[in-house]
Amino acid sequence: MVSPINPFSTWGNEPLIEVLELPVETLISVRRAQRRQLLEYKEEQDGIATEEMESIVRDEQEQLVEQLDERIRQWAPRPGRAEMDVYEVRDTQLHQHQSKTDRHVGSLSMRASSQQAYFSELYGNAESDLKRHLASQKARVAGLAYASNTPQLGNYERLAKQECSSFIEAAEQRAEGIETYSAESMNGLRKMNKQFLDGCYVFEELGGPKGKDGTYNPEEVEVFKQRLDELDEDVAERGDVWVKHSREQLERHVERSKEALEEFHAAIKDVETDITILEGAEKQIRSCSLLQLQEQSANDAAMDKLDQKLTLLDALCDGIGTGSIVHQKPGEDNEEEDAKSHANPVSIQILQCLKSIRWRVHSRAKYLGCLQSEIELTDITCVPPVPEDQPKPPAAAEEIPADEETGQEFVAGESENLRAFRERIWPTPPEEEGGEGAEPPADGEGSAKEVDEWEEVLKRYPGLQKEDKEVIPAATFMEALASIHEKQKAELHNLVEEYYNNLGEREITRKKGDPACTATRYIPDSLEEFDEKNEASLTELHESAVEYLKTKVRYFRSQIAKLSTTMPRVAAALFSDISERTRKRERARLKVLRESYEDDAAAWKATRDTNNANLKPSLGNENARPELEGLCVREAERHEAAVKGTDDALINALQVMGSESWHFYAEVLHGVAQVLGLFDTTVQPADLVLTDEDVVAQRKTLITLLKEYVKIEAEGEQPPPPEGKAFHTREYKGVRQGRLGAAPVFLALQAMEEDAAAGAVGVLAAIDEGVTDATTANDTPNHAHVIKSRDRILSGYTQHFALDVENLIRHYSAIKREEQRWYQNWNSLVESLKEQ
């Protein structure tokens, strides 16, 4: 019910607070029922007490009457007087017998009358209970008008069934009680008659019991017995009548109770049908709302994941908590961080993160319906492939022997170091078994088994994580929403149409304005009006979805703007990580080689010092010549081992620098190609549909405007981008080849062996093997920044590479020259001893 004192909504038809009010009639009926039950209980107890007292009075009265008769008979005047004859005595006895019989019959009649009155009271109480039961069922039928949901109807029905069952059970108990009372009452009356007859003792002389002073003759007792038998028959007949009436009353009450329950069921059926259609329509609207919320929740989760990826990309570019060695302090040696960085390189993490962001923003842009450019996601490889074989240096010069006839002097080919370096990097392939005509093994026979690519990647980078699986929505948000609404609209129409088809001639119990209805929750008079009402509810959901979409598109634009500002930092962070990892690996490998060589060098120096100490003037004597020869042999072996060890150390170090620089070069080129590909296919602010809520771009500086003006003056204004594209394309120059790897190391070693004054910087600067193919990509500042970062990192690394190679060659060359100088001095000392 609606309380008039409660505030109403803006429409004025719905209270803001619902109040449950109990009608006064309901409270009065409850009080009356309580009072009636109390009175009935009191009356029942009074009846039980009265009945018990009457039973006691009757039993005592009968006994006292018999005792009085016996005492009167005993205290009667004795027949000792002569004038009293036998006749007077017998006449007195007969008179007493008649009085006793009359008193017994009167007592019997009084008891039968009280039993009849009690039966009538029980019968009337049963009729009163029936009236109350029927009134309660009618009140429950009237209360159906205030039910608003099926649980309330279920409660109503449960109470109706429970009351009907309770009433029938109580009626059966009442009928059973009447039958029991009838049997007990009739047995009591018959018992009284039997007790009366048992108290009529026959004369002892006529066969009566001895010592009882009997005064009855058999004929008199027979007359009394016949009269009491008639009374017993009347008692039995009255008991049968009571049982018959109680059973008829029970059948009638059960029938009336069931009729009332059927009337309630008939009334609740229509109400249940109307409430069910209302709840069914509300359920469909609620299902539509839940499906819509599911779409929104899925989109929110995807956008939250995109935020996480953008935050991760920003952290990767900053090197915060990523294990990047770029941000270690100079000279810092952290093996744990080094291992983490090499096992899961930041450069690969950046590519994986950017690739994940690419498909996420692409799917969100299409899902939100704000993508105007035609962008096709190309395949991107985040893990750099194994570098190809390094290009070979120029062929070795042929060795020209000396010729005395022509005067040609001996011209050596390559030095031992150059040959060893060439054989180490570019070994001669072994001859194929089976000769030139040997056929390759058939597929599946002798060929290597295919290995899982991911297992191969993990062998190179054990800490690498798999890329996110792409999840592309099948339809846009509005398409999914339209599909949901159309489905729910069709189901609502079918539900309502079935209701009106089955309505028939009956009245609608939940019309507008009924007590259980509200301004929006009611059943219209026609199918069309119901459809319009449902359409209004779906329209409200659609409007809320449109507002949600506007909010999310606005937020998505801010995400794209954040991505666009982060992209210029990607290339620098990626190339810096590649460069620093390469340098760290190179230093670690060179350190191992250097420590091993230093250990060997310390052993050689110790041997040299020992040999030098053993080279005494006394060894110049002819007798000590064998000892001197042995010492010279040991020194020669030491010298040969030192020279060969130094050459091997140089070759090993140069091999490390050549392979690491070649890996660096290949990884940089791979990173440039992948980053440009990602930038080309990543959604930018210009790819989105223009709206009034576009993110305001940063104002261009005067230098930027001047550069654009100069470019327009030189090339002219560009036409608009191709249809379906937001940017023009351009060709970006390649990089110079041949300056990194083992080949430039070989050339630098060759040049410095030929001319000690030559430097690796000049050798690498003179190498001109052309440039790589130009790359075609979008013409944006982000792409240009990638190319600048590439050129900057390659130029810096090449410069340091040349200096490191030159210093390494000069270092080991100096060690070798010092060793040769020492050995030459040793030989001169030995010769001087031999000449003594």
Side-chain angles (χ1 to χ4, degrees):
M1 297 181 64
V2 178
S3 174
I5 64 174
N6 290 331
F8 283 76
S9 64
T10 54
W11 293 347
N13 53 1
E14 288 187 354
L16 297 181
I17 302 176
E18 293 188 2
V19 179
L20 177 62
E21 294 186 357
L22 296 176
V24 178
E25 294 79 3
T26 303
L27 295 176
I28 293 175
S29 62
V30 172
R31 294 296 301 274
R32 286 177 178 175
Q34 293 176 348
R35 186 166 55 251
R36 184 170 54 251
Q37 291 177 359
L38 178 61
L39 294 176
E40 290 176 354
Y41 177 77
K42 183 62 172 62
E43 185 178 0
E44 182 181 359
Q45 296 299 321
D46 292 344
I48 294 173
T50 303
E51 182 179 357
E52 291 179 354
M53 294 304 299
E54 289 179 352
S55 176
I56 294 173
V57 169
R58 284 194 299 271
D59 294 341
E60 293 295 332
Q61 185 178 9
E62 293 176 359
Q63 293 179 6
L64 292 175
V65 169
E66 292 177 358
Q67 291 177 7
L68 178 61
D69 292 342
E70 184 64 24
R71 289 175 181 177
I72 292 174
R73 184 182 63 80
Q74 291 178 358
W75 289 97
R78 297 288 186 249
R81 291 167 50 182
E83 63 272 9
M84 182 176 294
D85 53 7
V86 176
Y87 176 78
E88 290 178 353
V89 173
R90 184 58 182 165
D91 182 65
T92 301
Q93 291 176 351
L94 292 177
H95 182 72
Q96 292 176 351
H97 293 171
Q98 186 62 39
S99 298
K100 180 180 178 181
T101 302
D102 293 340
R103 286 194 302 271
H104 172 73
V105 173
S107 176
L108 191 67
S109 299
M110 290 176 60
R111 186 171 182 178
S113 177
S114 64
Q115 291 175 350
Q116 182 65 39
Y118 184 69
F119 170 76
S120 300
E121 182 181 358
L122 293 177
Y123 194 88
N125 291 338
E127 294 294 333
S128 300
D129 291 342
L130 175 63
K131 291 180 180 180
R132 287 193 297 270
H133 170 66
L134 297 179
S136 177
Q137 295 291 56
K138 288 182 180 179
R140 192 167 286 108
V141 171
L144 293 175
Y146 298 94
S148 59
N149 51 58
T150 49
Q152 288 183 353
L153 293 181
N155 189 37
Y156 274 114
E157 186 174 9
R158 179 183 62 81
L159 292 177
K161 290 181 177 179
Q162 182 177 356
E163 184 167 349
C164 178
S165 176
S166 299
F167 175 78
I168 293 176
E169 183 179 357
E172 292 176 349
Q173 291 177 357
R174 285 194 298 270
E176 184 179 356
I178 290 176
E179 292 183 6
T180 302
Y181 175 73
S182 174
E184 292 177 353
S185 299
M186 299 306 107
N187 291 334
L189 294 178
R190 285 193 288 268
K191 183 179 178 181
M192 288 177 62
N193 291 335
K194 184 176 182 304
Q195 290 177 353
F196 177 79
L197 292 176
D198 292 342
C200 297
Y201 299 116
V202 181
F203 289 107
E204 185 176 348
E205 294 80 1
L206 297 178
K210 295 181 179 181
K212 294 297 184 179
D213 296 333
T215 58
Y216 289 86
N217 57 21
E219 292 81 3
E220 187 180 8
V221 172
E222 185 64 26
V223 172
F224 290 157
K225 185 176 181 304
Q226 291 178 359
R227 184 178 178 184
L228 294 180
D229 288 342
E230 293 177 359
L231 295 177
D232 289 342
E233 292 177 0
D234 182 64
V235 167
E237 183 179 355
R238 187 167 63 252
D240 294 339
V241 171
W242 287 3
V243 172
K244 177 182 177 183
H245 284 312
S246 65
R247 291 179 178 176
E248 291 177 353
Q249 185 188 49
L250 174 61
E251 294 177 358
R252 179 166 50 82
H253 286 191
V254 170
E255 183 178 358
R256 290 295 302 279
S257 178
K258 291 182 177 179
E259 290 176 357
L261 183 61
E262 291 177 358
E263 291 176 0
F264 174 81
H265 283 160
I268 199 175
K269 180 180 180 182
D270 297 339
V271 175
E272 184 177 10
T273 302
D274 292 350
I275 291 181
T276 301
I277 188 62
L278 287 175
E279 291 184 345
E282 292 173 352
K283 182 179 179 181
Q284 294 295 335
I285 298 296
R286 191 162 54 252
S287 299
C288 181
S289 176
L290 290 176
L291 292 175
Q292 181 173 313
L293 287 176
Q294 288 180 1
E295 288 288 333
Q296 296 177 2
S297 299
N299 180 65
D300 292 342
M303 298 187 75
D304 290 342
K305 192 66 175 178
L306 179 57
D307 278 334
Q308 296 176 11
K309 290 296 180 180
L310 291 174
T311 303
L312 176 60
L313 180 63
D314 189 68
L316 290 171
C317 292
D318 291 339
I320 300 175
T322 59
S324 175
I325 59 179
V326 178
H327 300 275
Q328 294 184 16
K329 296 180 181 179
E332 182 180 4
D333 190 9
N334 191 331
E335 296 182 359
E336 183 178 353
E337 289 295 327
D338 294 348
K340 180 179 178 182
S341 178
H342 293 305
N344 188 12
V346 175
S347 59
I348 299 179
Q349 293 183 49
I350 290 176
L351 290 176
Q352 288 180 338
C353 183
L354 193 59
K355 183 179 179 181
S356 178
I357 291 174
R358 181 187 68 162
W359 71 260
R360 291 181 188 279
V361 298
H362 185 267
S363 63
R364 284 307 97 193
K366 292 186 65 177
Y367 182 74
L368 297 176
C370 58
L371 181 64
Q372 66 174 353
S373 300
E374 296 178 0
I375 299 177
E376 182 179 356
L377 301 183
T378 57
D379 189 19
I380 297 297
T381 304
C382 298
V383 180
V386 178
E388 299 178 354
D389 295 336
Q390 301 190 44
K392 295 182 179 181
E398 295 183 3
E399 180 179 323
I400 301 176
D403 191 352
E404 296 180 355
E405 295 180 359
T406 60
Q408 174 68 42
E409 296 181 356
F410 174 78
V411 178
E414 287 184 338
S415 65
E416 292 294 335
N417 286 342
L418 291 177
R419 283 198 297 270
F421 188 75
R422 184 189 294 274
E423 186 65 26
R424 182 77 61 82
I425 305 300
W426 302 279
T428 303
E431 296 183 0
E432 298 181 358
E433 297 181 1
E436 298 180 356
E439 296 182 358
D443 293 342
E445 297 180 4
S447 60
K449 296 183 179 180
E450 297 182 359
V451 183
D452 188 6
E453 295 182 359
W454 179 247
E455 293 182 358
E456 292 295 328
V457 170
L458 288 180
K459 291 179 181 179
R460 298 167 57 195
Y461 308 105
L464 198 63
Q465 302 294 327
K466 281 192 174 183
E467 300 176 8
D468 296 338
K469 183 180 180 181
E470 297 186 4
V471 179
I472 307 299
T476 65
F477 176 77
M478 295 306 298
E479 290 174 350
L481 188 66
S483 175
I484 293 173
H485 283 202
E486 288 297 328
K487 179 182 177 182
Q488 299 300 325
K489 183 178 179 181
E491 292 182 358
L492 278 170
H493 177 75
N494 296 334
L495 181 67
V496 174
E497 185 179 19
E498 182 181 2
Y499 168 77
Y500 281 101
N501 291 337
N502 298 331
L503 183 62
E505 300 297 331
R506 75 172 182 86
E507 288 290 332
I508 299 175
T509 62
R510 290 298 180 271
K511 290 185 177 181
K512 189 173 184 180
D514 288 345
C517 297
T518 62
T520 57
R521 194 174 189 272
Y522 66 93
I523 299 178
D525 295 332
S526 63
L527 173 62
E528 292 75 13
E529 294 178 359
F530 212 142
D531 286 339
E532 293 178 0
K533 177 173 170 288
N534 294 332
E535 182 68 24
S537 300
L538 293 177
T539 302
E540 291 181 3
L541 292 177
H542 184 272
E543 292 175 354
S544 67
V546 171
E547 291 297 325
Y548 167 82
L549 181 61
K550 290 181 180 178
T551 304
K552 291 304 175 181
V553 168
R554 188 182 305 113
Y555 184 74
F556 179 68
R557 289 180 179 279
S558 68
Q559 290 179 319
I560 298 300
K562 180 179 178 181
L563 173 62
S564 180
T565 57
T566 308
M567 288 171 69
R569 302 160 51 203
V570 169
L574 185 140
F575 296 144
S576 296
D577 181 74
I578 294 175
S579 175
E580 291 301 325
R581 281 192 294 107
T582 303
R583 292 177 184 274
K584 201 74 175 180
R585 286 197 309 269
E586 179 183 302
R587 285 195 293 268
R589 295 175 64 183
L590 291 177
K591 180 180 178 182
V592 173
L593 295 176
R594 184 173 62 254
E595 292 176 350
S596 176
Y597 174 75
E598 289 175 353
D599 294 340
D600 294 339
W604 296 331
K605 187 176 184 303
T607 304
R608 186 179 70 178
D609 294 341
T610 302
N611 293 337
N612 188 29
N614 293 330
L615 187 63
K616 300 177 182 180
S618 59
L619 294 179
N621 191 347
E622 290 293 336
N623 297 326
R625 188 59 53 87
E627 184 180 354
L628 178 62
E629 293 294 335
L631 183 61
C632 291
V633 170
R634 291 195 297 275
E635 178 60 21
E637 291 176 352
R638 184 206 65 78
H639 171 70
E640 183 180 358
V643 171
K644 186 177 184 305
T646 303
D647 290 339
D648 290 342
L650 175 62
I651 297 302
N652 291 334
L654 293 177
Q655 179 187 2
V656 169
M657 298 184 69
S659 65
E660 290 297 340
S661 63
W662 181 249
H663 278 78
F664 167 78
Y665 178 75
E667 193 168 353
V668 168
L669 293 186
H670 170 267
V672 170
Q674 303 309 311
V675 171
L676 291 179
L678 287 170
F679 281 11
D680 283 345
T681 54
T682 300
V683 177
Q684 295 295 300
D687 295 314
L688 302 179
V689 178
L690 298 177
T691 64
D692 296 336
E693 300 178 352
D694 286 334
V695 178
V696 179
Q698 185 178 4
R699 180 177 295 180
K700 297 180 180 179
T701 63
L702 293 177
I703 296 178
T704 303
L705 293 174
L706 181 60
K707 289 181 179 179
E708 292 181 355
Y709 176 76
V710 172
K711 186 176 180 180
I712 292 174
E713 287 293 329
E715 302 177 2
E717 293 188 3
Q718 289 185 340
E723 184 178 358
K725 301 294 182 181
F727 304 101
H728 293 281
T729 58
R730 59 168 290 189
E731 288 188 353
Y732 294 95
K733 64 180 181 179
V735 297
R736 298 186 65 177
Q737 303 183 47
R739 293 190 174 186
L740 293 175
V745 173
F746 181 87
L747 295 177
L749 179 61
Q750 185 180 31
M752 295 182 69
E753 284 184 351
E754 294 175 357
D755 183 6
V761 177
V763 174
L764 266 65
I767 296 176
D768 186 10
E769 296 184 5
V771 297
T772 59
D773 296 335
T775 303
T776 302
N778 290 342
D779 186 7
T780 68
N782 292 335
H783 290 71
H785 188 81
V786 174
I787 300 301
K788 291 180 181 179
S789 298
R790 177 201 66 183
D791 296 341
R792 187 183 305 112
I793 202 70
L794 285 175
S795 176
Y797 188 89
T798 302
Q799 183 178 1
H800 286 286
F801 172 71
L803 292 175
D804 291 342
V805 169
E806 181 177 345
N807 293 333
L808 187 68
I809 294 175
R810 293 189 185 281
H811 173 71
Y812 283 101
S813 297
I815 294 176
K816 184 177 179 180
R817 286 196 302 271
E818 194 276 336
E819 174 62 30
Q820 290 174 345
R821 183 189 61 79
W822 159 259
Y823 190 65
Q824 184 177 1
N825 292 337
W826 169 273
N827 289 332
S828 62
L829 289 175
V830 171
E831 291 296 330
S832 64
L833 288 176
K834 289 180 179 181
E835 292 176 357
Q836 290 180 1

